[in-house]
Amino acid sequence: MAVDYTTRDGVAVITLNHPPVNGLSHATRLGIIAGLDAAQQDPAVTAIVLTGAGKAFSGGADITEFNTPKAMQAPTLATLIHAVETSPKPVIAAIHGIAMGGGLELALGAHYRIALRGAQIALPEVKLGLLPGAGGTQRLPRAIGLEAALNMIVSGSSVRSEQLADSGLFDEVVEADLPGAALAFAQRVGSQAGPHPCVRKRPLEHPNAEGFLQFARNNVAAAAPHFPAPQRCIEAIKAGVLQGFERGLAAEREAFSALLQTPESRALRHAFFAERAAAKLPDVPVSTPLRALHQIAVIGAGTMGTGIAMSFANAGLPVMLLVADAEALERGMTKIRANYEASVKKGKLGADALTQRMALITPTLAWDDLKDADLFIEAVYEEMSVKEQVFRQIDAIAKPGAILASNTSTLDLNQIAGFTRRPENVVGLHFFSPANVMKLLEVVRGTHTAPDVLATVMHCARQIGKTAVVSGVCDGFIGNRMLEPYLCQAFYMLEEGALPAQVDRAIEAFGFAMGPFRMSDLAGNDISWAIRQRRYREAPQRHYPKVADRLCERGRFGQKTGSGWYDYRPGERSASASPEVDALIVAYSAEQGVARRMLPDEEIVERLVYALVNEGARILTEGIAARASDLDMVYLSGYGFPLWRGGPMLYADSVGLFNVERAIRRYAAQPNGAAWQVAPGLAERAAQGQGFNDAAR
């Protein structure tokens, strides 16, 4: 049953019982209506308590019914709220855990609200490119005031119940025993003659409502220029302020329907479901037992190793940090402390938390100190011989059942697993730099990786706040494999006539957080140079544009050396166009016998993005990734792809794969066209009129 109905001492208790967060499914809505009807017909009932089972009042809409007829099947949420609001017997919403989205809108329809301290209150629909569609934009301002409500609605942020104790939203906020407090409250108001208060009837007053709303519009336009939902939220609120509740409700409904059709909302909803889908592995059931992870060992104290250690310490997990060199270990610990101290100065971390987190990280020079670790993470130099040495050492001292992970970004995980006597315990955990900040974690599944190892590290990823995406074994896995043709196209376009600033400007205008050349300077041009040098040896038949090698031969490795594709002033990160690099590029074109031309920005964007898409199609065909949305998740979480476009594969769907294929064939007929070969998976879907994400819709 999605709803439980009981009576106690003259009070009907309607309990939402739809785990995990009591989503307002069609069955739940029907159950609440049935409970209300039963309470009205029982002369012994004087009041009704509406509450939730488990750890939540209600998290709002049932996400399993999104994009299905049941989502809007009668009774709709608006119908349900009307039934609650017009009940002749008082309805008390008893809130604990979370009351979000439709859950909060339902509570706002009740005559009274009582909350447990610590409950999270929010209208987060804007994060899906929508706005509250069941009266939230109208009732919340009347409950807590225009300014506070607008800030909550436009940001989608949650607020703890005690922070709203004096706002008018709650009649009581209690420390404990919510059921007992709700029962006593219901008995008290049930003995009182109606009518009982309605939020919709409260006056909405503000000394300068139009001025404040214009101020809010200006702020939203600057902070979220690519997202229409925040502005539509403000418009709906304004209609309610200036024209009354009913006109505001009509404006809200109209805005919700319009936003539902926008590409931005589609992209945000796609990302929402993609993140949840990425955690599901078809052949690893949720019932798979997990291995205990009480002690983590990180080998390597460079930028990556220290960031990984911080990720675990931030989640309260103890970490041993091993480096063979005492000075390198001291530098690593100093860097960790400096990072935490910077967070304290910015007010993001308390001094006590700094002390606690530093205490969780134990530096050591001795391998034997790691023998009791449950999870080893190697974060050493990206060279197979170095990995071999480290993994043979780990294998020699690790206890049975320990998980052995490599942070490799491109190397063959199966070969690494072969350096041990327990390949079933080896997995890839490719963190992104800075590891303590970046959300993406590529989990690389080797040929022999055991299901419980995979289940354990996926669970661990959630513990440390990462978005984990599983990849099979191939050179570069998902993210870096797709990045290679992207960067090659960037280099080819330099040879053909573009300059770094133009390429970066074009793709950043498309929405990328950073163009390929600014990104390379930040990461270090020597890193990709080392990868290319390995590939020159392993696959001499592959052709790469060499202009990036010329840059590295001059020692221009990026921000860390003060010069890369751009020039950098000492102590600054702002990039300035480099006359030296521009001259190097022009000379390289002449050396290749290329007559330089002006490349339009549209071509720059298409060649870069479609290079990602084309390689992504190959990854899907090869089974390296389980679903197209996993590729989108990688690029949204780790590579700065614009969120409002939903990732490269969804963007290709929105353009139409027929059009993407035509563009690729057009570029294949131009200079450097040999780099373009339409991926069979792309061509097949285009011919069938399908998109990459069709199966997920």
Side-chain angles (χ1 to χ4, degrees):
M1 291 288 290
V3 173
D4 298 326
Y5 179 87
T6 59
T7 59
R8 182 180 173 190
D9 299 330
V11 176
V13 180
I14 300 172
T15 305
L16 283 64
N17 191 5
H18 182 42
V21 294
N22 297 320
L24 295 169
S25 65
H26 179 245
T28 304
R29 300 193 302 272
L30 277 173
I32 297 171
I33 290 283
L36 290 170
D37 290 345
Q40 306 302 343
Q41 294 163 12
D42 187 345
V45 169
T46 61
I48 303 162
V49 169
L50 186 60
T51 191
K55 297 181 178 180
F57 174 73
S58 174
D62 183 347
I63 64 172
T64 65
E65 292 185 357
F66 271 33
N67 301 324
T68 72
K70 282 191 174 182
M72 296 305 294
Q73 188 173 341
T76 64
L77 180 56
T79 300
L80 172 59
I81 292 171
H82 178 73
V84 169
E85 203 167 42
T86 57
S87 167
K89 296 179 181 180
V91 179
I92 301 91
I95 297 167
H96 70 292
I98 61 172
M100 294 188 177
L104 178 56
E105 290 180 298
L106 176 60
L108 285 164
H111 303 104
Y112 305 95
R113 283 154 298 281
I114 181 169
L116 186 65
R117 183 181 177 88
Q120 297 288 328
I121 311 301
L123 290 174
E125 287 85 352
V126 71
K127 295 181 179 180
L128 296 181
L130 300 170
L131 85 173
T137 63
Q138 304 307 306
R139 290 187 179 90
L140 190 63
R142 286 167 170 77
I144 68 173
L146 174 60
E147 295 190 19
L150 186 143
N151 289 335
M152 282 183 65
I153 292 167
V154 167
S155 70
S157 300
S158 64
V159 179
R160 291 170 68 91
S161 55
E162 60 268 26
Q163 294 174 262
L164 297 168
D166 299 322
S167 67
L169 178 60
F170 300 119
D171 297 278
E172 287 185 11
V173 175
V174 299
E175 297 287 336
D177 189 19
L178 179 67
L183 182 65
F185 187 94
Q187 289 171 329
R188 187 165 65 252
V189 298
S191 65
Q192 299 170 4
H196 294 278
C198 251
V199 170
R200 68 184 292 159
K201 294 180 180 178
R202 292 187 191 179
L204 181 50
E205 298 173 348
H206 189 279
N208 183 13
E210 289 197 64
F212 170 71
L213 290 167
Q214 184 58 51
F215 170 77
R217 274 196 297 267
N218 294 341
N219 281 351
V220 163
H226 303 290
F227 297 99
Q231 289 287 5
R232 295 302 296 262
C233 288
I234 295 172
E235 290 171 15
I237 292 170
K238 179 181 178 181
V241 172
L242 301 182
Q243 300 175 52
F245 184 88
E246 291 298 337
R247 294 293 293 273
L249 208 59
E252 179 188 271
R253 286 195 296 268
E254 180 185 346
F256 185 89
S257 297
L259 287 169
L260 199 59
Q261 306 305 316
T262 62
E264 293 85 2
S265 178
R266 182 190 176 199
L268 290 170
R269 284 179 279 135
H270 173 74
F272 176 84
F273 287 110
E275 184 169 2
R276 282 146 186 80
K280 298 174 183 176
L281 309 177
D283 60 340
V284 182
V286 293
S287 58
T288 303
L290 304 179
R291 301 189 188 185
L293 298 182
H294 300 301
Q295 178 69 58
I296 315 300
V298 177
I299 297 95
T303 299
M304 190 60 77
T306 54
I308 293 171
M310 290 177 68
S311 294
F312 285 95
N314 292 348
L317 292 167
V319 184
M320 301 285 291
L321 185 63
L322 172 87
V323 185
D325 178 78
E327 289 185 7
L329 186 59
E330 184 178 351
R331 282 197 302 272
M333 292 301 294
T334 300
K335 182 172 185 176
I336 290 171
R337 178 171 288 279
N339 283 339
Y340 281 137
E341 288 174 346
S343 295
V344 172
K345 287 179 182 176
K346 294 174 184 175
K348 296 180 179 179
L349 192 70
D352 290 346
L354 182 154
T355 302
Q356 292 165 3
R357 293 182 189 186
M358 288 301 300
L360 286 167
I361 303 173
T362 304
T364 182
L365 300 169
W367 277 97
D368 197 53
D369 288 346
L370 309 184
K371 64 181 185 299
D372 293 325
D374 302 298
L375 170 63
F376 290 79
I377 303 176
E378 160 274 308
V380 299
Y381 188 68
E382 189 76 346
E383 176 63 47
M384 189 61 82
S385 61
V386 180
K387 306 285 189 188
E388 177 178 5
Q389 180 183 353
V390 169
F391 268 84
R392 292 195 186 281
Q393 186 67 51
I394 295 173
D395 192 43
I397 61 109
K399 67 183 182 182
I403 296 174
L404 283 51
S406 173
N407 182 55
T408 180
S409 58
T410 58
L411 299 178
D412 185 341
L413 185 78
N414 290 327
Q415 186 177 350
I416 291 172
F419 301 142
T420 76
R421 295 162 295 177
R422 46 180 121 181
E424 71 281 0
N425 290 345
V426 177
V427 68
L429 292 180
H430 177 209
F431 288 80
F432 286 71
S433 187
N436 54 303
V437 175
M438 295 293 286
K439 282 195 68 177
L440 178 62
L441 176 63
E442 275 187 321
V443 175
V444 185
R445 182 181 196 171
T447 301
H448 301 290
T449 303
D452 65 330
V453 167
L454 205 58
T456 300
V457 297
M458 292 296 283
H459 175 76
C460 180
R462 290 193 294 275
Q463 278 185 290
I464 62 175
K466 302 300 181 188
T467 299
V469 178
V470 174
S471 170
V473 175
C474 65
D475 196 342
F477 314 126
I478 294 173
N480 284 340
R481 175 171 165 179
M482 290 171 67
L483 190 67
E484 182 185 336
Y486 170 92
L487 289 175
C488 280
Q489 285 301 314
F491 298 154
Y492 280 132
M493 286 188 281
L494 294 187
E495 177 185 306
E496 294 168 27
L499 292 173
Q502 183 197 359
V503 174
D504 283 351
R505 209 165 37 240
I507 199 67
E508 288 167 14
F510 174 80
F512 269 73
M514 195 175 290
F517 299 106
R518 288 208 302 136
M519 179 189 69
S520 289
D521 275 0
L522 178 63
N525 296 314
D526 53 326
I527 295 173
S528 54
W529 190 30
I531 293 170
R532 288 195 302 276
Q533 288 173 321
R534 172 175 64 82
R535 287 173 176 158
Y536 295 157
R537 296 190 301 270
E538 294 175 355
Q541 75 281 1
R542 293 175 69 175
H543 176 66
Y544 286 88
K546 298 293 198 300
V547 63
D549 294 355
R550 300 292 171 83
L551 184 85
C552 292
E553 287 163 4
R554 297 192 182 194
R556 297 183 67 99
F557 296 149
Q559 289 186 13
K560 60 189 175 186
T561 59
S563 64
W565 293 105
Y566 297 94
D567 291 333
Y568 301 89
R569 295 187 181 88
E572 294 185 9
R573 292 181 176 270
S574 55
S576 301
S578 169
E580 178 187 341
V581 171
D582 291 352
L584 179 154
I585 291 167
V586 171
Y588 179 78
S589 299
E591 181 185 319
Q592 301 302 307
V594 174
R596 292 176 65 81
R597 65 183 176 91
M598 178 61 68
L599 277 74
D601 286 358
E602 180 183 5
E603 177 180 340
I604 292 171
V605 170
E606 284 191 345
R607 287 174 64 175
L608 292 176
V609 176
Y610 294 170
L612 295 174
V613 171
N614 201 43
E615 195 63 31
R618 290 194 176 91
I619 287 171
L620 292 172
T621 299
E622 294 170 19
I624 297 300
R627 53 189 76 86
S629 63
D630 286 356
L631 310 187
D632 288 333
M633 208 68 249
V634 166
Y635 267 79
L636 292 172
S637 301
Y639 289 84
F641 199 94
L643 178 59
W644 69 91
R645 298 191 189 276
M649 311 311 282
L650 185 74
Y651 176 71
D653 288 349
S654 68
V655 171
L657 300 195
F658 177 84
N659 297 321
V660 173
E661 182 186 5
R662 278 175 56 82
I664 290 175
R665 294 194 186 283
R666 185 170 68 251
Y667 295 129
Q670 294 182 0
N672 293 313
W676 289 105
Q677 291 182 359
V678 177
L682 170 57
E684 290 166 10
R685 285 180 172 88
Q688 295 166 7
Q690 294 180 342
F692 290 113
N693 290 283
D694 280 353
R697 289 179 196 168

